[in-house]
């Protein structure tokens, strides 16, 4: 029984070492096309998720406006104010799209390899108004906020969140988390961890991140 266990352990070690040494160059054939195919099969690699809580506010009031002797005037009408505070939750997901990944994204030098990743992208996957916590004040002579107005304020809230994305550092999170996925894959092809570099293109800037609003049928 001990002899059988020893035999199985030897075979397991042989399998690990042979896998690490053979996949980078199988039978003298460059395995780079195989590596690229494997990475592209990942398609869209979601690397990070942000949940943003935001309160959208709106305030308007009726005014009596006109001109007198060439002077413009604007006088608030008593009991003509409306205001609302709308809490909403927005989910953002950062991802790398490997659909166009090719040999142009790979640099090799002896035992070293560098992957230049496609630009990170962000998808706004959901937004939800917390209707139970909406607070509003509607003066006596004003009508209540309509569903159409609430939907408009929600769109404004989503747009505001999207505008803050460049300040979130989501591209750095995308790089770090993509590396955690890709480094083990490259190790399977025989590369040592210290010989692997994962990077983005040098001219990439956080404010150039592509954002897709999946809650909007028209997208962005």
């Amino acid at each position: 029984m001990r002899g059988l266990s020893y035999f199985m352990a030897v075979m397991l070690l042989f399998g690990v070492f042979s896998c690490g040494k053979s996949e980078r160059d199988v039978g003298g054939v460059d395995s780079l096309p195989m590596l690229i195919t494997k990475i592209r099969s990942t398609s869209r690699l979601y690397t990070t998720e942000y949940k943003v809580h935001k309160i959208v506010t709106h305030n308007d009031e009726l005014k009596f406006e006109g001109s007198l002797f060439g002077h413009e005037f604007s006088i608030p009408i008593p009991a003509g104010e409306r205001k609302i505070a709308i809490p909403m939750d927005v989910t953002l997901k950062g991802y790398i799209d490997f659909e166009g990944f090719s040999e142009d994204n790979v640099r090799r030098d002896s035992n070293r390899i560098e992957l230049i990743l496609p630009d990170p992208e962000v998808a706004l996957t959901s937004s939800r108004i917390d209707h139970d916590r909406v607070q509003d004040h509607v003066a006596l002579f004003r009508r209540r906020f309509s569903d159409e107005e609430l939907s408009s304020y929600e769109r404004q809230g989503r747009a505001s969140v999207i505008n803050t994305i460049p300040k979130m550092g989501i591209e750095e999170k995308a790089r770090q988390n993509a590396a955690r996925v890709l480094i083990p894959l490259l190790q399977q092809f025989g590369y040592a961890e210290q010989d692997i570099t994962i990077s983005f293109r040098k001219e990439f800037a956080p404010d150039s991140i592509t954002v897709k609003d999946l809650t909007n049928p028209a997208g962005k």
Side-chain angles (χ1 to χ4, degrees), residues 125-181:
T125 58
S126 68
S127 66
R128 183 184 68 86
I129 291 178
D130 187 349
H131 291 279
D132 293 335
R133 297 188 179 183
V134 171
Q135 297 183 5
D136 62 0
H137 168 74
V138 181
L140 181 62
F141 299 114
R142 299 295 304 275
R143 61 176 175 79
R144 300 194 64 82
F145 290 95
S146 66
D147 290 341
E148 183 179 351
E149 287 175 313
L150 292 178
S151 297
S152 174
Y153 302 148
E154 182 182 10
R155 289 193 297 271
Q156 293 174 25
R158 291 201 303 266
S160 176
V161 170
I162 288 173
N163 289 336
T164 63
I165 286 174
K167 301 177 183 178
M168 293 182 180
I170 200 167
E171 79 287 346
E172 179 61 20
K173 283 287 187 182
R175 186 192 71 82
Q176 294 174 359
N177 292 339
R180 291 190 181 98
V181 174

Side-chain angles (χ1 to χ4, degrees), residues 1 21 56 80 88 103 112 130 135 142 174-175 197 205:
M1 188 69 177
K21 291 182 179 179
V56 181
M88 60 184 296
E103 293 187 13
R112 301 182 64 84
D130 187 349
Q135 297 183 5
R142 299 295 304 275
R175 186 192 71 82
T197 302

Side-chain angles (χ1 to χ4, degrees), residues 81-220:
E81 185 182 45
R82 290 193 315 167
K83 53 186 176 181
I84 190 169
I86 306 170
M88 60 184 296
D89 296 298
V90 177
T91 300
L92 302 170
K93 291 186 178 182
Y95 64 93
I96 309 293
D97 190 343
F98 286 106
E99 183 179 357
F101 194 85
S102 69
E103 293 187 13
D104 293 335
N105 296 91
V106 182
R107 294 174 184 167
R108 292 186 298 176
D109 180 16
S110 184
N111 293 329
R112 301 182 64 84
I113 187 169
E114 178 183 6
L115 299 187
I116 300 92
L117 301 185
D119 294 346
E121 300 181 43
V122 177
L124 193 159
T125 58
S126 68
S127 66
R128 183 184 68 86
I129 291 178
D130 187 349
H131 291 279
D132 293 335
R133 297 188 179 183
V134 171
Q135 297 183 5
D136 62 0
H137 168 74
V138 181
L140 181 62
F141 299 114
R142 299 295 304 275
R143 61 176 175 79
R144 300 194 64 82
F145 290 95
S146 66
D147 290 341
E148 183 179 351
E149 287 175 313
L150 292 178
S151 297
S152 174
Y153 302 148
E154 182 182 10
R155 289 193 297 271
Q156 293 174 25
R158 291 201 303 266
S160 176
V161 170
I162 288 173
N163 289 336
T164 63
I165 286 174
K167 301 177 183 178
M168 293 182 180
I170 200 167
E171 79 287 346
E172 179 61 20
K173 283 287 187 182
R175 186 192 71 82
Q176 294 174 359
N177 292 339
R180 291 190 181 98
V181 174
L182 293 173
I183 287 176
L185 174 62
L186 292 169
Q187 288 177 311
Q188 291 178 17
F189 279 78
Y191 292 96
E193 183 174 358
Q194 64 269 21
D195 294 330
I196 299 170
T197 302
I198 309 294
S199 62
F200 290 126
R201 62 186 176 96
K202 298 297 185 290
E203 64 272 22
F204 171 76
D207 58 3
S208 66
I209 291 179
T210 299
V211 182
K212 296 181 179 179
D213 186 352
L214 301 185
T215 66
N216 178 6
K220 181 179 178 180

Side-chain angles (χ1 to χ4, degrees), residues 32-46 96-102 118 181-182 185 188-189:
L32 181 59
M34 186 189 306
L35 172 63
I36 291 173
T37 299
K38 202 161 189 176
I39 292 176
R40 290 185 62 175
S41 68
T42 307
S43 185
R44 182 175 291 186
L45 175 62
Y46 285 95
I96 309 293
D97 190 343
F98 286 106
E99 183 179 357
F101 194 85
S102 69
V181 174
L182 293 173
L185 174 62
Q188 291 178 17
F189 279 78

